[in-house]
Each structure stands twice: as structure tokens, then as C-alpha cells.
Amino acid sequence: AQSVTQLDSQVPVFEEAPVELRCNYSSSVSVYLFWYVQYPNQGLQLLLKYLSGSTLVKGINGFEAEFNKSQTSFHLRKPSVHISDTAEYFCAVSGPTGGGNKLTFGTGTQLKVEL
Amino acid sequence: DGGITQSPKYLFRKEGQNVTLSCEQNLNHDAMYWYRQDPGQGLRLIYYSQIVNDFQKGDIAEGYSVSREKKESFPLTVTSAQKNPTAFYLCASKGQEKETQYFGPGTRLLVL
């Protein structure tokens, strides 16, 4: 079975500072990894994904993530955050589980950007 | 514009009542999914469908039912057997783009 751990439930950061949101996963097979962002009372928007190839993945809104197979991590980073980045961020994993291409989600990290 | 629509945005359920949440997509995606979101618990899979007229239970299917009569539509019924239905419900779909699910705006279900 697959699982995703987002250790930080909340991350406060000042505007223009860098931020890293941590994600670790467990799986016995090759996985695909995703980061989604959710603004209040809205659906999830895809930020970026890792399927194969380069371990550094760039996404929308200036975010990037690095896949580290040995540490089973997929941390999300942004060098300089903006007030508009305040939202909840979800890490998810999908793998060849035998059907359905189901996503397993972490419990989310609330990013709060302060002036 | 292509996308996923969910209606209504807010839905109120009385005790013992069944309610149906709508999910429609015009992306020509084969697979569709229903998730339930509770604070601090992330998203949990209720049901999914990979093709018309076929669907499978997810991790928390008890108290819910679905149908997939058309490719574009995947309605979710919250039955009276679901004792704790208050949550935010999200529908998603997946097409040919490898492994990638796209989400609708969600429906918030509240119990009166």
C-alpha cells in the first residue's frame, strides 16, 4: 500500500522569503508524484508532477519540486513567496496499484504568507 | 471552455434523506473519481469509474452510491446510511495525460 506524509500541517512565512513544504511517501513500486494547491472553498489545482526523467520539476506560479528516490521525498519549494500563495498544498502519489490510477493524498500543509 | 462542473455549490440534507451531487465534464475523459475532504484528513476516495457503465468502490464507499450512464456524467448519491455526511466533496477526471487527475470546484454538504 502507498502512503504520503506531510509532516507540517501549517507553515507561516513572510512575504518574499523562501519556503519548502515537505512530502515523504512510501511505496514498494515506482510511483508518480503530484503537488496540488487548494484555495479556500475551491477545488484542487495541479501545481506540478513527476512522472519520469529529470528529478527537478518546475510547475506553475514559480514552484518547483525535487524527486529524491533514496529519501523517498518530493519536497515543494519556492524561492520567494507572495501573499497570493496563501493556500493549502497537497502532495499525492499514484502508482501501478492494479487499476484505477488512484491517488493517495497527504493530509495537507497550510501555507500562510504574512506581510 | 473545457472543464469539470459540480453542482450545487452548497447542499443541505435532512435526516433520513438521500441527496445527489452532480459532476459533469466536457474534457472527453474516460475516468472519473469522487473524493471526500474533511479538515486535517486530506482527500479520501469514495468511488471511481474508468469507463461508462462500470465503477469500483474506493476506500470509503459505505453510505454512498454512483452511476456512470454517460461518459460526461458521474453523479454521487449520499444515502441516509451515511451517518456523517458533512464534508466537502470533490469530483475529478483523468484522460490520456498520464496519471493526471483534474478537479472540479467542489460541493459542500451540510446536515440540517
Side-chain angles (χ1 to χ4, degrees), chain B residues 12-40:
Chain B
F12 297 91
R13 192 190 92 162
K14 295 179 181 178
E15 289 288 335
Q17 186 181 41
N18 292 353
V19 292
T20 298
L21 286 63
S22 168
C23 177
E24 304 275 333
Q25 54 98 0
N26 61 3
L27 301 167
N28 199 33
H29 286 175
D30 287 316
M32 297 186 74
Y33 306 78
W34 273 107
Y35 293 88
R36 171 181 170 137
Q37 184 178 20
D38 296 282

Side-chain angles (χ1 to χ4, degrees), chain A residues 29-95:
Chain A
V29 296
S30 297
V31 296
Y32 309 110
L33 294 153
F34 304 81
W35 276 100
Y36 286 88
V37 60
Q38 184 179 37
Y39 300 100
N41 292 311
Q42 294 187 27
L44 273 66
Q45 181 182 5
L46 181 67
L47 268 180
L48 48 80
K49 60 186 176 184
Y50 171 79
L51 302 180
S52 64
S54 172
T55 57
L56 183 62
V57 179
K58 293 191 183 297
I60 63 171
N61 301 342
F63 284 93
E64 63 181 33
E66 185 155 20
F67 171 59
N68 188 319
K69 189 174 182 179
S70 62
Q71 296 186 11
T72 59
S73 68
F74 190 54
H75 301 332
L76 181 70
R77 301 186 183 101
K78 187 169 182 177
S80 176
V81 296
H82 188 266
I83 282 285
S84 59
D85 293 323
T86 295
E88 189 150 26
Y89 292 79
F90 290 94
C91 182
V93 61
S94 172

